[in-house]
Amino acid sequence: MHELAARTLKVLSMMIAILSFILCIVQAASDSNSGHTTANKSENHSSVSHTIHVVHINFEEIKEPLIFTVVVLLAGLSKIGFHHANFLSSKIPESCMLIVLGTAFGAIIHFSQVSKELPELFSPHQFFVFLLPPIILESAFSLYDRTFSENLGTVLLFAVLGTILACFLLGLSLYGLMLCGAMGDIEHISLVQILLFSSLIVAVDPVAVLAVFNEIGVNHVLYFIVFGESLLNDGVTVVLYKVMQVYNEMGTIPIAQIVLGIVKFVVVCAGGLLIGVLAGIVTAVLTKYTYHVRVVQPLVIYTMAYLGFLMAELFEVSGIISIIGCGLIQCHYAFHNISPKSRITVKYFTKVLASASEIIIFLFLGLVMVHDDHEWHTGFVLWTLLLCLVYRFIIVFAMASLINRFDRMRVRRITTDEMFMIAYGGLRGAVAFSLAALLDDKSLPMKQMFVTTTLSTIIFTVFVQGITIKPLVTLLAIKLEPEKNQSMYCELNGHVTDHLMAGIEVVVGMHGRNHLREELDRLDVDYMQKWLVLTPVNSDTQLHDFYEKIVMKEHYKHLKLCKAASMIGESNLNPVNPCPRVDTEYYLKGLTEKEVEEEGEEVTLRKHGEIVPPVSIRQFSRGPPPSDINNAHKLRALLQSQRFSRMLLHNNYDRNLTTDNIYNLSHELKKKTLKNQQLGRILSQIRSRPASWTEDQAQMCTDRGSEKSDLEKNRPSKKRQSADHRPGYHLQNGHLQSCTL
């Protein structure tokens, strides 16, 4: 325990020392600039200001980008140190560490009076315009999965209906408690103002939960329900927040405005989705013509996704839902038009942007904790925490039970343990804090109390629920995702099952989700892909791509087992990387016919009747291969060596990689030889086997053989043996011997 505390203090002290050093530089630069300005003013712009300075600190020109870069760098270093410190990362989520680190930085900045010289690097407007879009886009790319599409109805119920119910139940309960005096001495707050607060506090941001789910590897159904519900919940929350903001600015709210508010909610969600889908379609069309300019492909993906977000904000519809729709359409169409390298670039650069944005958000969340303008009200804070937790559990359990009861198309039920994890995973995060910070001081005099309550809810959910989520997953024995094993049989079986289920639905006359999926796939292949995809992708193409992945994986495995690392250089095969990059171009220069003969450790290669000198396989481990080992057939011959390849002994290789006619012939010959040897051993044992009969049994057999049956006496025969030449047996030295009676 003492060692753990010492390591923690060491990491924190190191980070604080780095920040203090940078702040000293900033303070010195600001002092020099202020002194230089004062001197210039006192000399009344004399000629001193026009003199040449060999070294000059121009801090005012680069102040904002410098501070922002230093903050991002420190955030990245803190994340690296956190993951290297296993004693921390194994017990607390990353978001907790970032909030603590941001609070420490904020305390240093606040009490050292440096905050006056620092620019305002974080504002709610910057959060929604610059930091939130990369996070939503990366989440949209991750949502492109069949499990999400199969559970889309469940996710929409939790995200839309569950969020609306939580908002109104929480708001009405807080308003009733305030009227009853259960909160204590509190300034009167109108119902609309409390509903405005409840609309922002129900924003779910389970970053810590998803990180734990990824680490443990929970089943995909639970993961995508929590993931999709949290992502769509943010969009619904922002729409509710904007509607309540408009109501708050009205003196009285007539019935017509309530109806218009409901219509606005539907229009904002549907309009954002429509703009996002259109942006994704335009992306697919543009990427069809970027094949010869591949460097532009990631640029088109990012700019069109961000343009869709900006256009949604321009028309005051949901930008979050717009990015989600755009990201899903880009994954389905545009990603098939770009090169594999561009796809990798988009995938990892999006993860980098999203990770950097999350780090900055949680850091500045900690910075806000040390401000002096917080307004604390114990009753309001405690009732908000309690009601948020209680209503979350009630809504999740009630809706999940209804889904299990009435969704007859659902194959897998949501278990009670999974209901608990969905409810317990409702953490609050940066979206709720930014919406609270966007509140207007003039229309809401109690803004600071709302902000303080929001920060308290975030701290409680992130630290208490976020830290305990991992032990609860282990304690409840949540079903984990089975280990993925790429198999052509499983892939084919999945496709056959889909077609079979759709056919059964047609036969029984009940069109369910399988028939709907078949129809959507048909429309997609027949109409949409012809216009949006450079090379249409159907089920056969998917199977072919899947087979190529398996073949390449087995190919790398074969090369590694045959010590191909020594052939092409040890640097190309990294043992840490599970899928090494093997450059086989050296071997695949031509195709010729071959024959393989194995003699001990030597492999004789025949090429067009010309015998190549035998090459020992051990030569490959000492250096580069000879110049004549340069085609695919010879490489395959090397892979077929039984004596030096464990994969043939285990019989788990893909026979499509090799031409195994000669192998089959040699294998049959070996089987025949082994069979003949076994027969020889059996015959030798029979010849030397002693008699198992006793002397009495042998004598009985001799007597029976000497007698003639009645049938044989009455049957006429042309050739009859005499009595002197009848065959018989007698026992001699423990063995039966034939004799003539």
Side-chain angles (χ1 to χ4, degrees):
M1 189 66 184
H2 295 289
E3 184 179 358
L4 176 63
R7 290 182 180 179
T8 306
L9 291 175
K10 184 177 180 180
V11 173
L12 291 177
S13 61
M14 185 182 300
M15 300 304 300
I16 293 173
I18 295 174
L19 180 65
S20 303
F21 177 72
I22 295 174
L23 291 178
C24 291
I25 296 176
V26 173
Q27 183 69 31
S30 61
D31 293 342
S32 64
N33 281 329
S34 61
H36 184 68
T37 304
T38 305
N40 287 338
K41 288 182 180 180
S42 62
E43 293 178 5
N44 196 16
H45 303 287
S46 62
S47 59
V48 177
S49 61
H50 300 286
T51 58
I52 297 176
H53 299 277
V54 178
V55 178
H56 178 64
I57 300 177
N58 192 11
F59 181 69
E60 292 297 329
E61 295 293 331
I62 59 153
K63 178 170 63 175
E64 294 186 3
L66 176 62
I67 298 299
F68 188 80
T69 304
V70 169
V71 169
V72 174
L73 179 61
L74 285 177
L77 292 176
S78 64
K79 189 171 183 178
I80 294 173
F82 174 76
H83 286 283
H84 275 285
N86 188 47
F87 63 94
L88 286 176
S89 59
S90 61
K91 294 178 177 59
I92 64 174
E94 182 182 316
S95 53
C96 298
M97 183 271 300
L98 292 173
I99 292 176
V100 171
L101 197 61
T103 305
F105 290 170
I108 294 174
I109 293 173
H110 178 73
F111 293 108
S112 62
Q113 303 298 325
V114 183
S115 57
K116 299 178 181 179
E117 303 294 335
L118 295 177
E120 186 180 1
L121 298 178
F122 180 80
S123 66
H125 177 72
Q126 291 175 349
F127 167 77
F128 281 103
V129 175
F130 299 110
L131 297 179
L132 188 60
I135 300 175
I136 303 299
L137 183 62
E138 194 271 335
S139 301
F141 290 161
S142 301
L143 279 182
Y144 185 71
D145 191 272
R146 178 171 175 172
T147 307
F148 172 72
S149 62
E150 290 177 348
N151 295 274
L152 182 60
T154 303
V155 171
L156 289 177
L157 282 176
F158 281 122
V160 180
L161 184 59
T163 303
I164 295 174
L165 287 175
C167 173
F168 284 97
L169 288 175
L170 178 62
L172 293 174
S173 300
L174 289 175
Y175 186 71
L177 290 170
M178 183 194 66
L179 294 179
C180 295
M183 293 184 182
D185 186 13
I186 187 173
E187 182 182 356
H188 179 74
I189 307 173
S190 65
L191 177 61
V192 177
Q193 292 173 344
I194 289 186
L195 287 176
L196 177 59
F197 168 74
S198 64
S199 66
L200 65 91
I201 203 65
V202 295
V204 179
D205 184 23
V207 177
V209 178
L210 293 179
V212 173
F213 284 179
N214 277 327
E215 180 182 353
I216 299 177
V218 298
N219 61 85
H220 273 189
V221 176
L222 176 60
Y223 180 83
F224 278 103
I225 287 177
V226 175
F227 188 18
E229 188 259 342
S230 64
L231 188 60
L232 296 177
N233 167 273
D234 291 340
V236 175
T237 301
V238 173
V239 176
L240 281 174
Y241 174 82
K242 291 182 178 180
V243 173
M244 293 301 170
Q245 246 185 347
V246 175
Y247 285 158
N248 185 45
E249 295 174 356
M250 297 181 181
T252 58
I253 306 174
I255 301 298
Q257 293 297 321
I258 296 177
V259 174
L260 287 177
I262 298 173
V263 174
K264 180 179 175 61
F265 178 82
V266 177
V267 170
V268 167
C269 294
L273 181 62
L274 178 62
I275 292 177
V277 170
L278 291 176
I281 291 174
V282 174
T283 306
V285 174
L286 292 177
T287 51
K288 286 181 64 177
Y289 305 99
T290 58
Y291 183 77
H292 298 289
V293 194
R294 300 182 182 181
V295 70
V296 185
Q297 292 172 348
L299 184 64
V300 173
I301 297 289
Y302 288 127
T303 52
M304 287 307 305
Y306 193 62
L307 181 62
F309 172 80
L310 294 178
M311 295 301 294
E313 294 295 327
L314 177 64
F315 292 102
E316 293 187 351
V317 294
S318 178
I320 296 176
I321 298 178
S322 173
I323 286 189
I324 294 173
C326 181
L328 293 175
I329 296 297
Q330 285 178 348
C331 286
H332 190 68
Y333 294 112
F335 278 17
H336 295 290
N337 297 332
I338 62 179
S339 64
K341 292 184 178 180
S342 297
R343 283 198 294 270
I344 294 174
T345 302
V346 171
K347 176 183 177 181
Y348 285 100
F349 190 65
T350 308
K351 287 184 179 294
V352 170
L353 289 178
S355 179
S357 299
E358 291 175 358
I359 290 173
I360 295 170
I361 289 168
F362 282 108
L363 274 176
F364 280 99
L365 188 64
L367 291 175
V368 178
M369 295 291 295
V370 296
H371 286 181
D372 297 331
D373 52 357
H374 293 298
E375 184 178 341
W376 176 266
H377 192 280
T378 305
F380 191 78
V381 171
L382 294 180
W383 277 115
T384 301
L385 288 174
L386 178 62
L387 292 177
C388 282
L389 195 61
V390 170
Y391 283 135
R392 173 76 180 178
F393 273 88
I394 292 174
I395 292 172
V396 168
F397 272 81
M399 294 184 66
S401 301
L402 292 175
I403 291 171
N404 290 336
R405 182 177 179 84
F406 294 104
D407 189 3
R408 298 184 178 180
M409 296 295 177
R410 189 177 187 86
V411 178
R412 184 182 180 278
R413 297 168 59 89
I414 303 175
T415 62
T416 306
D417 297 338
E418 292 175 346
M419 295 179 194
F420 181 85
M421 294 311 302
I422 295 172
Y424 198 76
L427 277 67
R428 273 59 177 177
V431 174
F433 167 72
S434 299
L435 290 176
L438 279 175
L439 295 174
D440 188 12
D441 295 326
K442 297 179 180 179
S443 59
L444 281 174
M446 68 292 300
K447 174 188 174 181
Q448 296 303 325
M449 186 181 70
F450 286 168
V451 173
T452 304
T453 305
T454 304
L455 285 174
S456 303
T457 307
I458 293 172
I459 295 300
F460 176 82
T461 55
V462 170
F463 279 85
V464 177
Q465 296 178 220
I467 292 176
T468 57
I469 191 75
K470 186 174 182 179
L472 284 176
V473 169
T474 306
L475 180 64
L476 296 176
I478 299 296
K479 183 179 179 181
L480 303 181
E481 185 68 15
E483 185 179 355
K484 290 184 178 180
N485 185 18
Q486 290 183 339
S487 172
M488 200 68 193
Y489 167 76
C490 295
E491 187 72 12
L492 285 170
N493 189 39
H495 284 266
V496 171
T497 304
D498 291 341
H499 293 304
L500 183 61
M501 294 299 294
I504 292 174
E505 290 181 357
V506 173
V507 171
V508 300
M510 183 183 65
H511 291 172
R513 60 184 62 182
N514 295 287
H515 179 74
L516 178 61
R517 181 173 57 246
E518 290 284 331
E519 289 296 322
L520 291 177
D521 290 341
R522 184 182 61 81
L523 293 174
D524 183 41
V525 174
D526 294 343
Y527 299 101
M528 299 297 293
Q529 291 191 13
K530 290 182 178 180
W531 297 98
L532 301 180
V533 180
L534 187 62
T535 304
V537 181
N538 51 27
S539 58
D540 295 338
T541 308
Q542 295 174 0
L543 289 174
H544 183 268
D545 294 340
F546 186 78
Y547 177 73
E548 284 186 349
K549 290 181 182 179
I550 296 178
V551 168
M552 292 307 299
K553 183 178 180 180
E554 293 296 325
H555 180 55
Y556 292 143
K557 187 191 298 182
H558 293 184
L559 289 176
K560 190 173 183 179
L561 291 174
C562 291
K563 299 188 177 181
S566 300
M567 299 183 192
I568 58 178
E570 294 291 341
S571 60
N572 290 333
L573 278 177
N574 186 3
V576 179
N577 190 359
C579 185
R581 298 179 180 178
V582 180
D583 187 10
T584 57
E585 242 180 63
Y586 181 80
Y587 306 99
L588 307 178
K589 294 182 180 179
L591 297 175
T592 58
E593 297 180 356
K594 63 142 182 27
E595 293 180 358
V596 179
E597 295 180 359
E598 297 183 2
E599 297 179 0
E601 295 181 357
E602 297 181 358
V603 179
T604 305
L605 303 176
R606 301 180 184 272
K607 179 178 179 182
H608 294 296
E610 179 182 358
I611 299 179
V612 182
V615 180
S616 176
I617 294 181
R618 290 183 178 175
Q619 292 178 5
F620 292 106
S621 62
R622 292 196 297 265
S627 59
D628 47 24
I629 310 297
N630 57 4
N631 55 61
H633 287 304
K634 296 175 182 178
L635 178 60
R636 291 169 186 160
L638 182 64
L639 295 178
Q640 286 179 340
S641 174
Q642 294 186 20
R643 188 164 300 183
F644 301 97
S645 179
R646 300 200 319 266
M647 58 194 170
L648 296 181
L649 297 177
H650 291 289
N651 197 20
N652 58 354
Y653 63 97
D654 192 346
R655 294 181 181 274
N656 293 289
L657 290 173
T658 59
T659 305
D660 53 353
N661 295 328
I662 298 177
Y663 169 73
N664 287 338
L665 181 59
S666 62
H667 186 62
E668 291 297 328
L669 290 175
K670 289 180 179 179
K671 285 173 61 177
K672 293 288 186 182
T673 304
L674 291 175
K675 191 173 182 180
N676 292 334
Q677 291 176 357
Q678 291 176 358
L679 289 174
R681 286 195 297 268
I682 292 172
L683 291 175
S684 64
Q685 291 175 2
I686 291 176
R687 293 192 187 98
S688 60
R689 182 177 179 181
S692 58
W693 289 355
T694 62
E695 295 184 1
D696 296 337
Q697 292 173 343
Q699 185 62 36
M700 184 184 299
C701 181
T702 304
D703 296 340
R704 287 181 179 179
S706 61
E707 296 177 357
K708 291 184 178 180
S709 63
D710 297 337
L711 180 62
E712 193 174 319
K713 293 178 181 178
N714 299 328
R715 182 187 304 166
S717 59
K718 297 180 181 179
K719 294 182 179 179
R720 182 172 300 205
Q721 294 180 352
S722 61
D724 298 335
H725 294 86
R726 284 181 296 168
Y729 302 90
H730 71 278
L731 187 64
Q732 183 178 357
N733 297 330
H735 297 278
L736 286 176
Q737 300 292 334
S738 61
C739 62
T740 302
L741 298 177

